[in-house]
Amino acid sequence: DDGAVKSRNIPSTIKIGNRIVITSKPPRQWAWKSFTSSARHDSAKFFHWVRANIEYADYPYARFDVHLDPLTYTDEEYQKYLAMSEVKDLGDTLPDFLTVSNQLQKGDDGTVTKADTNAAESSFQQQLLQSNKILPWTKTETDVLMELCKKCDLRWPVIIDRWHLHFKKGTVSSLRKVEDLQYRYYQIGSILTQKRVVAEAAKLSVASTPAGADVLPDPKDTAADTTAEASDIQPAQSTTQQPLDPSESAALE
């Protein structure tokens, strides 16, 4: 019949790109199934097409949902290592002598253009850079920075955008650039890592010392005691005969 004639005309293999497809094999079965992803914490359910005979324990692409370990600190660690108490805090708003509005000169019509505002802000940034002035970081700023870094996974273009949305223009915080945020973040990470390693090493040293064992003296204290003992000892009288003075030698002759 016509069906048999058509089936004989179908090639047994078809080349698609670099693959050879065998047309005589039965087609694979697909099913419309639901799935959840461990990368989500809301237990949302989605649907997709999958092989009918394959079951996934988890969504295959959930393994690509990788997050950085958040950088956290306690209030004690902040006050002890991270607080910028040595620099006077300028507060939430700029003093009058630092505000951009005071650096602007109004035109004849009493208005200030946007170009003048941008020029004044740029000039103010250059003055801070040239005079080596430091805008101290407050704990509120640092907490906001850590939260943004955690939420945005260190995507700095997104972080600086959210930073300017959080802090209003004209405040000290709004003057910070993305380089300032990066410096502060990695500075905190470096300080905390160093301090925690030293503290952990001290704990291990104390734990490894047996109870009642003699504690070795500090080398600095030992050297100081040795110097003190040496200064108390009077130099011994030398028994070696000293050479005679030439005048005394002539008198004896």
Side-chain angles (χ1 to χ4, degrees):
D1 55 3
D2 295 340
V5 173
K6 290 181 179 179
S7 63
R8 288 195 297 267
N9 294 333
I10 297 176
S12 58
T13 59
I14 299 176
K15 185 175 182 182
I16 302 177
N18 295 327
R19 294 189 306 123
I20 302 297
V21 178
I22 301 177
T23 59
S24 59
K25 288 186 176 181
R28 295 175 294 189
Q29 298 297 321
W30 292 77
W32 181 252
K33 294 184 178 181
S34 63
F35 71 95
T36 57
S37 175
S38 60
R40 299 179 64 96
H41 303 288
D42 54 1
S43 301
K45 184 180 291 187
F46 303 93
F47 292 86
H48 62 168
W49 286 101
V50 292
R51 301 273 185 86
N53 58 343
I54 295 179
E55 296 290 339
Y56 294 107
D58 189 14
Y59 185 54
Y61 294 97
R63 66 180 185 273
F64 297 109
D65 185 61
V66 180
H67 297 276
L68 299 174
D69 294 333
L71 184 58
T72 59
Y73 48 81
T74 62
D75 293 339
E76 181 181 0
E77 286 178 327
Y78 184 88
Q79 296 298 332
K80 194 173 182 180
Y81 307 126
L82 306 176
M84 301 182 69
S85 56
E86 71 277 4
V87 183
K88 183 179 179 181
D89 192 351
L90 297 180
D92 295 333
T93 58
L94 291 175
D96 293 337
F97 66 92
L98 291 179
T99 54
V100 174
S101 59
N102 287 346
Q103 301 179 28
L104 296 176
Q105 299 294 333
K106 294 184 178 180
D108 297 336
D109 55 352
T111 60
V112 178
T113 63
K114 185 177 180 181
D116 294 334
T117 304
N118 295 336
E121 290 180 352
S122 177
S123 175
F124 176 58
Q125 291 285 357
Q126 291 296 329
Q127 290 176 13
L128 289 177
L129 181 62
Q130 294 174 3
S131 61
N132 198 25
K133 291 183 179 179
I134 298 176
L135 296 177
W137 280 78
T138 62
K139 190 174 187 302
T140 301
E141 287 181 313
T142 307
D143 292 341
V144 171
L145 175 61
M146 295 299 107
E147 183 63 26
L148 289 177
C149 291
K150 175 184 176 182
K151 184 182 297 185
C152 302
D153 284 333
L154 294 184
R155 296 179 177 90
W156 293 108
V158 181
I159 292 173
I160 190 63
D161 180 70
R162 301 299 187 272
W163 178 271
H164 289 306
L165 289 177
H166 189 276
F167 295 101
K168 295 181 180 179
K169 188 175 182 179
T171 62
V172 174
S173 304
S174 66
L175 294 176
R176 303 196 186 279
K177 298 182 178 180
V178 65
E179 293 82 5
D180 301 325
L181 273 58
Q182 292 173 337
Y183 182 85
R184 177 63 171 171
Y185 179 84
Y186 292 113
Q187 178 193 49
I188 291 175
S190 176
I191 293 175
L192 291 178
T193 300
Q194 180 182 5
K195 298 299 182 181
R196 288 170 180 174
V197 167
V198 172
E200 188 66 22
K203 290 180 181 179
L204 293 177
S205 177
V206 173
S208 61
T209 303
D214 295 336
V215 180
L216 295 177
D218 191 347
K220 295 181 179 179
D221 297 340
T222 305
D225 295 341
T226 304
T227 304
E229 292 176 359
S231 62
D232 294 338
I233 300 175
Q234 297 295 333
Q237 296 294 333
S238 176
T239 57
T240 306
Q241 185 177 2
Q242 299 295 330
L244 295 176
D245 187 79
S247 60
E248 296 179 357
S249 178
L252 291 177
E253 292 177 356

